[in-house]
Amino acid sequence: MNRIIETERLILRPIVLSDAEAMFVLDSNPNVNIYLGNNPVQTMEETIGYIENIQNQYIQNGTGRFAVVLKETNEFIGWAGIKFLTEPENNHVNVYEIGYRLQEAHWGKGYGSEAAKAWLDYGFTEMNIPKMYASVHKENAASKRILEKIGMQITSEFLWNDIPCYWLEMENNML
């Protein structure tokens, strides 16, 4: 997969194995995992397995999570993208979900909103996705704000692995 999306400050590109060290820093941080079931990765092998899983999603589904890289410094600061959900989540399956995760040092700078908006636009205009979905831990106010800022609306609440979550949706008005 060689798709690249550029925003004003970011480059969104496929995740590669050379991102493993930066991905490990991201996914091993307990603060990043607070609203994700609090299971930080423990080993580089876990991170490499995660990257290989993402790369398989590119092949199987034509999309997935992409590296978020700062244009100014070429620094990997996290990931964002559209995942095709093949396992049920809130009674939905075979739907597209927008998601993102950033390194703690880059929180609160608008990068999450910028990346999420770019993916939402790409999903609607280039992939012709009829409806985009997202989920967020009910206590994760910053992530909820990002999703609402890009136009998504809460449609229900559900438990994911015993974690109370909001389910958000947005119709593609560009079809």
Side-chain angles (χ1 to χ4, degrees):
M1 172 158 299
N2 57 5
R3 176 184 322 148
I4 294 177
I5 298 171
E6 290 193 38
T7 68
E8 182 182 341
R9 302 178 295 166
L10 305 172
I11 296 170
L12 310 171
R13 60 151 175 83
I15 295 173
V16 293
L17 282 176
S18 60
D19 294 321
E21 191 173 317
M23 185 81 103
F24 179 79
V25 168
L26 172 71
D27 288 337
S28 65
N29 181 339
N31 292 332
V32 171
N33 284 273
I34 286 173
Y35 301 114
L36 304 170
N38 217 4
N39 295 314
V41 298
Q42 303 294 317
T43 66
M44 186 61 79
E45 288 73 28
E46 286 178 83
T47 298
I48 290 169
Y50 184 57
I51 291 172
E52 289 170 346
N53 183 38
I54 290 169
Q55 291 174 334
N56 284 335
Q57 291 172 27
Y58 298 157
I59 296 164
Q60 294 169 0
N61 305 313
T63 192
R65 308 305 195 194
F66 275 45
V68 176
V69 177
L70 292 178
K71 276 186 178 178
E72 191 176 312
T73 62
N74 205 34
E75 177 188 359
F76 174 103
I77 64 165
W79 58 255
I82 297 170
K83 182 178 180 180
F84 187 67
L85 296 180
T86 56
E87 299 290 324
E89 186 171 330
N90 192 29
N91 300 315
H92 290 76
V93 68
N94 297 327
V95 296
Y96 292 94
E97 175 195 56
I98 196 159
Y100 41 84
R101 191 175 303 166
L102 297 177
Q103 292 178 350
E104 187 175 7
H106 298 284
W107 293 353
K109 298 178 181 178
Y111 297 133
S113 297
E114 191 172 327
K117 177 78 171 108
W119 276 108
L120 186 69
D121 292 347
Y122 185 89
F124 284 161
T125 61
E126 301 298 321
M127 297 175 67
N128 295 314
I129 295 171
K131 186 184 273 191
M132 192 73 72
Y133 298 90
S135 61
V136 62
H137 190 297
K138 286 176 73 173
E139 294 178 10
N140 190 344
S143 188
K144 178 177 167 276
R145 191 167 38 256
I146 287 170
L147 294 168
E148 291 175 331
K149 184 177 181 180
I150 66 170
M152 300 195 76
Q153 296 181 339
I154 295 171
T155 57
S156 65
E157 298 178 17
F158 71 106
L159 287 177
W160 175 77
N161 295 339
D162 296 323
I163 298 170
C165 295
Y166 291 120
W167 185 255
L168 297 92
E169 300 180 8
M170 185 174 181
E171 298 275 343
N172 183 349
N173 296 324
M174 299 175 192
L175 290 177

